[in-house]
Amino acid sequence: MASSNPVKVSVLGATVFHIPFIQSLPHLFSLHSILERSATAEHSEARKRYGNDINVVTTFEQVINDPEVDCVVISTPNATHYPFAKAVLQAGKSVIIEKPLVPTSTEADELIALASSHSPPLIIATYQNRRYDSDFLTVKKLVDQGAFGDIVEFETRFDRWRPALKGGGTWKEQTQPAQGIVYDLGSHLIDQVLTLFGTPDRIYSHIYNARKLGPADFDDAFFAQYYYDSGARGSQLPLVVTVRASPLSALASQLRYAIKGTKGSFLKHGLDVQEDQLRLNPPLSTSDRAFGVEPESIHGVLTTVDSSNHLKEERIVAEKGNYMGWYEGVGAALQARDPSKLYVTPQQARETIRMVELMYESSRSGKVIHVKTS
C-alpha cells in the first residue's frame, strides 16, 4: 500500500555508498539495520563508522524474516545479487540492488516478473548512480541542447593507472559469475550510452586481461563500439559510440569523454568527485556545499563552429553531481509502490545486462553482433 511514512531499509554489504543518502533523507527512509556477518557485541565496522546506536544483524534470515523491514539494499558480490534479490522479493519486500542488476538478462526477467506479481508491485531499483555524475549531467545537458549538432562520434571511458592487483582476496578479482571490468565499470558506461542514444544496431567488443594478472579469464580491460546506422536522437547520420576501460593508463588526468558532431566537439578529463567524498572517514556530508562540486581544473572544453567556420573554445562549468537525486526518486517510488517514478527502471537495467551479454558474445566470436529488439 502507498504510504507517506519513511521506508524502513536494511543494508547488506558495503555501507559507503548507500547509508549516507538513506540517513540524509529521513522523510523518505529510515535505516532499520545493517547486515554485518562478522560483527560481535564488542566489535562492528558498521557501528564504528555510523555510531553505536546502529542496529547490526549477522544473518540474512534476520533481514528477510523481519516484518518491519520494507526494503533491502543489496551491495554484495555480483554473483549473489540474483539469489538475494529473489529471496527478498519472495518475502514481500522491495529491493535496491547495486549495479549490475544481476549476471544475466534471463535472471533479470524473472525478478521483474516476480516484483510485478505483487499488488501493488514491489520496487526493483538498480543503483546506476553514475547517471548523476557531474560530468554525465553536463554532457546530457549539452546533448539535449543540441550543442554538437548531429553527433557522429561519442567516446566514453574509465581508465586508471593500476598496474598491480589490489590483492587481499577481494571478490572483484576472483573468477565468479558477473565479475570483471565490463560488469563493474562497464555497466555504468553502457547505461549512460543507452540513456543518451538507446539500443544500438550493432556491437563489436574485445574483452581481455590487459595485465596478465590473476585468473586467465579475469577481464580487466575492454574496448567496444556501438553502431547506430541513423536516427539516434533524430539524426540521419551514422553514429559510432566507443566504450572502453583500461587499468594501464599512466596519465595524471584521464580522458573521460570525447564527443564530435556537425556543430562542435567536447573534451572532458577527470572523474566525478562524489565517490571520493563518500569514502572519506567520516564521509563528507551530502548537505555540504562542496558535495558533488567538480573542481574547475577538470571542467570540459566545448569547441563550436560559427557561421564563418571559425572555431571557438569555451570552458563549460560542470553541473553539480547529484547521487542524492537517485535516492530521492527511489524513495518516492517506494512510498507510492509505483515503479513509474523510478529514474532507472528495472527494464533499463535489464537492457544494460543484455548489452553486456552481447559484448561477451562479440569478444568470444570476434564478430560484429547485430542487436535484435528484445
Side-chain angles (χ1 to χ4, degrees), residues 96-144:
I96 294 171
I97 307 177
E98 180 64 56
K99 62 78 198 162
L101 173 60
V102 283
T104 72
S105 58
T106 299
E107 291 170 336
D109 288 337
E110 183 178 343
L111 294 185
I112 292 169
L114 181 55
S116 299
S117 69
H118 290 260
S119 182
L122 295 171
I123 301 299
I124 300 175
T126 306
Y127 194 54
Q128 294 285 178
N129 58 306
R130 289 196 177 274
R131 287 199 202 179
Y132 284 96
D133 276 1
S134 57
D135 48 27
F136 180 70
L137 291 173
T138 305
V139 165
K140 188 175 186 302
K141 181 178 180 179
L142 292 171
V143 171
D144 290 343

Side-chain angles (χ1 to χ4, degrees), residues 11 14-23 73 75 96 98 127 327:
V11 178
T15 59
V16 170
F17 298 116
H18 297 277
I19 291 175
F21 300 111
I22 291 170
Q23 292 182 321
V73 175
S75 185
I96 294 171
E98 180 64 56
Y127 194 54
Y327 255 101

Side-chain angles (χ1 to χ4, degrees), residues 13 43 65 85 90 148 177 247 276 305 320 357:
H43 177 75
N65 292 329
Q90 288 176 329
F148 310 113
D276 287 343
V305 184
K320 186 176 181 179
E357 292 171 332

Side-chain angles (χ1 to χ4, degrees), residues 27 93 163 171 242 247 249 251 295 357:
H27 62 294
K93 306 178 189 301
W171 60 266
T242 301
S249 181
L251 294 172
E357 292 171 332

Side-chain angles (χ1 to χ4, degrees), residues 8-19 22 31-38 46 50 54-66 69 71-78 80-89 91 93-99 127 171 327:
K8 294 182 179 179
V9 180
S10 183
V11 178
L12 316 185
T15 59
V16 170
F17 298 116
H18 297 277
I19 291 175
I22 291 170
L31 180 61
H32 177 276
S33 54
I34 300 172
L35 172 61
E36 184 183 353
R37 295 185 188 277
S38 61
Y50 294 107
I54 293 294
N55 179 27
V56 175
V57 298
T58 56
T59 71
F60 180 57
E61 289 69 28
Q62 286 175 277
V63 174
I64 61 173
N65 292 329
D66 192 325
V69 174
C71 177
V72 179
V73 175
I74 297 175
S75 185
T76 55
N78 299 345
T80 67
H81 288 188
Y82 169 73
F84 279 161
K86 183 176 180 180
V88 169
L89 293 169
K93 306 178 189 301
S94 292
V95 63
I96 294 171
I97 307 177
E98 180 64 56
K99 62 78 198 162
Y127 194 54
W171 60 266
Y327 255 101

Side-chain angles (χ1 to χ4, degrees), residues 83 94 135 150 152 161 171 176 185 226 304 328:
S94 292
D135 48 27
D150 289 338
V152 294
W161 177 239
W171 60 266
Q176 296 180 29
L185 296 179
Y226 286 26
T304 53
E328 288 171 339

